[in-house]
PDB file of all heavy atoms in Angstrom:
ATOM      1  N   ALA D  36     121.077 320.204 124.701  1.00 97.00           N
ATOM      2  CA  ALA D  36     120.961 319.366 123.495  1.00 97.00           C
ATOM      3  C   ALA D  36     122.103 319.691 122.521  1.00 97.00           C
ATOM      4  O   ALA D  36     123.248 319.814 122.967  1.00 97.00           O
ATOM      5  CB  ALA D  36     119.564 319.524 122.869  1.00 97.00           C
ATOM      6  N   LEU D  38     123.032 322.362 121.031  1.00 97.00           N
ATOM      7  CA  LEU D  38     123.821 323.585 121.330  1.00 97.00           C
ATOM      8  C   LEU D  38     124.904 323.273 122.329  1.00 97.00           C
ATOM      9  O   LEU D  38     126.008 323.779 122.208  1.00 97.00           O
ATOM     10  CB  LEU D  38     122.870 324.662 121.883  1.00 97.00           C
ATOM     11  CG  LEU D  38     122.221 325.510 120.758  1.00 97.00           C
ATOM     12  CD1 LEU D  38     120.736 325.292 120.722  1.00 97.00           C
ATOM     13  CD2 LEU D  38     122.576 326.964 120.872  1.00 97.00           C
ATOM     14  N   ARG D  39     124.562 322.472 123.338  1.00 97.00           N
ATOM     15  CA  ARG D  39     125.571 322.090 124.331  1.00 97.00           C
ATOM     16  C   ARG D  39     126.691 321.280 123.671  1.00 97.00           C
ATOM     17  O   ARG D  39     127.880 321.580 123.923  1.00 97.00           O
ATOM     18  CB  ARG D  39     124.910 321.235 125.445  1.00 97.00           C
ATOM     19  CG  ARG D  39     125.872 320.723 126.475  1.00 97.00           C
ATOM     20  CD  ARG D  39     125.166 319.942 127.615  1.00 97.00           C
ATOM     21  NE  ARG D  39     124.353 318.816 127.119  1.00 97.00           N
ATOM     22  CZ  ARG D  39     124.863 317.675 126.650  1.00 97.00           C
ATOM     23  NH1 ARG D  39     126.158 317.502 126.639  1.00 97.00           N
ATOM     24  NH2 ARG D  39     124.059 316.729 126.222  1.00 97.00           N
ATOM     25  N   SER D  48     129.711 331.671 132.233  1.00 97.00           N
ATOM     26  CA  SER D  48     129.352 333.014 132.781  1.00 97.00           C
ATOM     27  C   SER D  48     129.676 334.017 131.682  1.00 97.00           C
ATOM     28  O   SER D  48     130.659 333.900 130.963  1.00 97.00           O
ATOM     29  CB  SER D  48     130.171 333.320 134.001  1.00 97.00           C
ATOM     30  OG  SER D  48     129.595 332.699 135.121  1.00 97.00           O
ATOM     31  N   PRO D  52     127.993 343.633 127.322  1.00 95.00           N
ATOM     32  CA  PRO D  52     127.880 345.091 127.571  1.00 95.00           C
ATOM     33  C   PRO D  52     126.426 345.502 127.671  1.00 95.00           C
ATOM     34  O   PRO D  52     125.536 344.773 127.223  1.00 95.00           O
ATOM     35  CB  PRO D  52     128.567 345.700 126.390  1.00 95.00           C
ATOM     36  CG  PRO D  52     128.503 344.651 125.320  1.00 95.00           C
ATOM     37  CD  PRO D  52     128.594 343.318 126.043  1.00 95.00           C
ATOM     38  N   LYS D  56     120.592 344.225 124.631  1.00 96.00           N
ATOM     39  CA  LYS D  56     119.356 344.350 125.387  1.00 96.00           C
ATOM     40  C   LYS D  56     118.344 343.216 125.187  1.00 96.00           C
ATOM     41  O   LYS D  56     117.404 343.048 125.944  1.00 96.00           O
ATOM     42  CB  LYS D  56     118.655 345.676 125.000  1.00 96.00           C
ATOM     43  CG  LYS D  56     119.509 346.910 125.404  1.00 96.00           C
ATOM     44  CD  LYS D  56     118.642 348.155 125.371  1.00 96.00           C
ATOM     45  CE  LYS D  56     119.473 349.429 125.562  1.00 96.00           C
ATOM     46  NZ  LYS D  56     120.299 349.411 126.802  1.00 96.00           N
ATOM     47  N   THR D  57     118.562 342.413 124.143  1.00 96.00           N
ATOM     48  CA  THR D  57     117.603 341.345 123.834  1.00 96.00           C
ATOM     49  C   THR D  57     118.323 340.017 123.732  1.00 96.00           C
ATOM     50  O   THR D  57     119.572 339.962 123.589  1.00 96.00           O
ATOM     51  CB  THR D  57     116.864 341.570 122.506  1.00 96.00           C
ATOM     52  OG1 THR D  57     117.825 341.486 121.418  1.00 96.00           O
ATOM     53  CG2 THR D  57     116.166 342.932 122.442  1.00 96.00           C
ATOM     54  N   ALA D  67     130.326 335.495 118.714  1.00 96.00           N
ATOM     55  CA  ALA D  67     131.678 336.003 118.455  1.00 96.00           C
ATOM     56  C   ALA D  67     132.717 335.404 119.400  1.00 96.00           C
ATOM     57  O   ALA D  67     133.949 335.645 119.223  1.00 96.00           O
ATOM     58  CB  ALA D  67     131.665 337.521 118.541  1.00 96.00           C
ATOM     59  N   LEU D  68     132.260 334.665 120.416  1.00 95.00           N
ATOM     60  CA  LEU D  68     133.217 334.187 121.430  1.00 95.00           C
ATOM     61  C   LEU D  68     134.155 333.090 120.942  1.00 95.00           C
ATOM     62  O   LEU D  68     135.310 332.990 121.357  1.00 95.00           O
ATOM     63  CB  LEU D  68     132.450 333.619 122.657  1.00 95.00           C
ATOM     64  CG  LEU D  68     131.676 334.652 123.494  1.00 95.00           C
ATOM     65  CD1 LEU D  68     131.034 333.898 124.690  1.00 95.00           C
ATOM     66  CD2 LEU D  68     132.593 335.760 124.028  1.00 95.00           C
ATOM     67  N   SER D  69     133.702 332.216 120.026  1.00 95.00           N
ATOM     68  CA  SER D  69     134.509 331.114 119.531  1.00 95.00           C
ATOM     69  C   SER D  69     133.915 330.562 118.244  1.00 95.00           C
ATOM     70  O   SER D  69     132.730 330.779 117.990  1.00 95.00           O
ATOM     71  CB  SER D  69     134.589 329.957 120.576  1.00 95.00           C
ATOM     72  OG  SER D  69     133.476 329.139 120.480  1.00 95.00           O
ATOM     73  N   ALA D  74     129.359 328.529 115.029  1.00 95.00           N
ATOM     74  CA  ALA D  74     128.711 327.451 114.262  1.00 95.00           C
ATOM     75  C   ALA D  74     127.350 327.103 114.851  1.00 95.00           C
ATOM     76  O   ALA D  74     126.363 326.941 114.135  1.00 95.00           O
ATOM     77  CB  ALA D  74     129.616 326.253 114.223  1.00 95.00           C
ATOM     78  N   ARG D  79     119.970 329.867 113.679  1.00 90.00           N
ATOM     79  CA  ARG D  79     119.187 330.743 114.528  1.00 90.00           C
ATOM     80  C   ARG D  79     117.686 330.376 114.592  1.00 90.00           C
ATOM     81  O   ARG D  79     117.010 330.460 115.616  1.00 90.00           O
ATOM     82  CB  ARG D  79     119.317 332.159 113.996  1.00 90.00           C
ATOM     83  CG  ARG D  79     119.156 333.213 115.021  1.00 90.00           C
ATOM     84  CD  ARG D  79     119.516 334.567 114.342  1.00 90.00           C
ATOM     85  NE  ARG D  79     118.962 335.646 115.141  1.00 90.00           N
ATOM     86  CZ  ARG D  79     119.749 336.519 115.827  1.00 90.00           C
ATOM     87  NH1 ARG D  79     121.047 336.440 115.761  1.00 90.00           N
ATOM     88  NH2 ARG D  79     119.182 337.503 116.487  1.00 90.00           N
ATOM     89  N   ASP D  80     117.141 329.904 113.419  1.00 91.00           N
ATOM     90  CA  ASP D  80     115.732 329.563 113.374  1.00 91.00           C
ATOM     91  C   ASP D  80     115.409 328.332 114.219  1.00 91.00           C
ATOM     92  O   ASP D  80     114.254 328.116 114.557  1.00 91.00           O
ATOM     93  CB  ASP D  80     115.326 329.210 111.911  1.00 91.00           C
ATOM     94  CG  ASP D  80     115.268 330.483 111.086  1.00 91.00           C
ATOM     95  OD1 ASP D  80     115.366 331.574 111.624  1.00 91.00           O
ATOM     96  OD2 ASP D  80     115.154 330.338 109.847  1.00 91.00           O
ATOM     97  N   ILE D  86     114.497 332.875 129.499  1.00 98.00           N
ATOM     98  CA  ILE D  86     115.118 333.908 130.371  1.00 98.00           C
ATOM     99  C   ILE D  86     114.614 333.647 131.810  1.00 98.00           C
ATOM    100  O   ILE D  86     113.385 333.600 132.034  1.00 98.00           O
ATOM    101  CB  ILE D  86     114.723 335.331 129.878  1.00 98.00           C
ATOM    102  CG1 ILE D  86     115.234 335.516 128.452  1.00 98.00           C
ATOM    103  CG2 ILE D  86     115.293 336.371 130.836  1.00 98.00           C
ATOM    104  CD1 ILE D  86     114.834 336.842 127.814  1.00 98.00           C
ATOM    105  N   GLN D  88     114.424 330.956 133.364  1.00 97.00           N
ATOM    106  CA  GLN D  88     113.597 329.715 133.367  1.00 97.00           C
ATOM    107  C   GLN D  88     112.178 329.889 132.875  1.00 97.00           C
ATOM    108  O   GLN D  88     111.299 329.071 133.184  1.00 97.00           O
ATOM    109  CB  GLN D  88     113.604 329.090 134.780  1.00 97.00           C
ATOM    110  CG  GLN D  88     115.051 328.778 135.250  1.00 97.00           C
ATOM    111  CD  GLN D  88     115.113 327.857 136.450  1.00 97.00           C
ATOM    112  OE1 GLN D  88     114.094 327.483 137.005  1.00 97.00           O
ATOM    113  NE2 GLN D  88     116.333 327.444 136.820  1.00 97.00           N
ATOM    114  N   SER D  95     112.862 339.291 123.157  1.00 95.00           N
ATOM    115  CA  SER D  95     112.540 339.564 124.554  1.00 95.00           C
ATOM    116  C   SER D  95     113.689 340.322 125.236  1.00 95.00           C
ATOM    117  O   SER D  95     114.867 340.061 124.969  1.00 95.00           O
ATOM    118  CB  SER D  95     112.327 338.264 125.316  1.00 95.00           C
ATOM    119  OG  SER D  95     111.193 337.568 124.832  1.00 95.00           O
ATOM    120  N   VAL D 103     120.140 332.858 131.309  1.00 98.00           N
ATOM    121  CA  VAL D 103     119.582 332.757 129.979  1.00 98.00           C
ATOM    122  C   VAL D 103     119.990 331.397 129.400  1.00 98.00           C
ATOM    123  O   VAL D 103     121.171 331.010 129.461  1.00 98.00           O
ATOM    124  CB  VAL D 103     120.081 333.915 129.054  1.00 98.00           C
ATOM    125  CG1 VAL D 103     119.482 333.787 127.665  1.00 98.00           C
ATOM    126  CG2 VAL D 103     119.735 335.260 129.653  1.00 98.00           C
ATOM    127  N   ALA D 104     118.985 330.668 128.848  1.00 98.00           N
ATOM    128  CA  ALA D 104     119.303 329.342 128.328  1.00 98.00           C
ATOM    129  C   ALA D 104     118.933 329.291 126.828  1.00 98.00           C
ATOM    130  O   ALA D 104     117.929 329.856 126.446  1.00 98.00           O
ATOM    131  CB  ALA D 104     118.499 328.281 129.057  1.00 98.00           C
ATOM    132  N   PRO D 107     117.328 323.783 121.417  1.00 97.00           N
ATOM    133  CA  PRO D 107     116.442 323.558 120.286  1.00 97.00           C
ATOM    134  C   PRO D 107     115.007 323.361 120.785  1.00 97.00           C
ATOM    135  O   PRO D 107     114.782 323.218 122.007  1.00 97.00           O
ATOM    136  CB  PRO D 107     116.956 322.257 119.654  1.00 97.00           C
ATOM    137  CG  PRO D 107     117.735 321.616 120.714  1.00 97.00           C
ATOM    138  CD  PRO D 107     118.214 322.613 121.679  1.00 97.00           C
ATOM    139  N   VAL D 109     111.746 321.724 122.131  1.00 96.00           N
ATOM    140  CA  VAL D 109     111.749 320.576 123.045  1.00 96.00           C
ATOM    141  C   VAL D 109     111.176 319.327 122.421  1.00 96.00           C
ATOM    142  O   VAL D 109     110.349 319.382 121.488  1.00 96.00           O
ATOM    143  CB  VAL D 109     110.954 320.948 124.331  1.00 96.00           C
ATOM    144  CG1 VAL D 109     111.521 322.191 124.978  1.00 96.00           C
ATOM    145  CG2 VAL D 109     109.460 321.079 124.080  1.00 96.00           C
ATOM    146  N   GLY D 112     108.508 313.823 126.543  1.00 84.00           N
ATOM    147  CA  GLY D 112     107.232 313.099 126.611  1.00 84.00           C
ATOM    148  C   GLY D 112     107.285 311.683 126.065  1.00 84.00           C
ATOM    149  O   GLY D 112     108.147 311.320 125.346  1.00 84.00           O
TER     150      GLY D 112
END
Side-chain angles (χ1 to χ4, degrees):
Chain D
L38 274 113
R39 176 178 58 73
S48 280
K56 296 195 188 307
T57 65
L68 292 182
S69 82
R79 207 173 163 112
D80 289 349
I86 299 175
Q88 304 194 355
S95 295
V103 180
V109 305

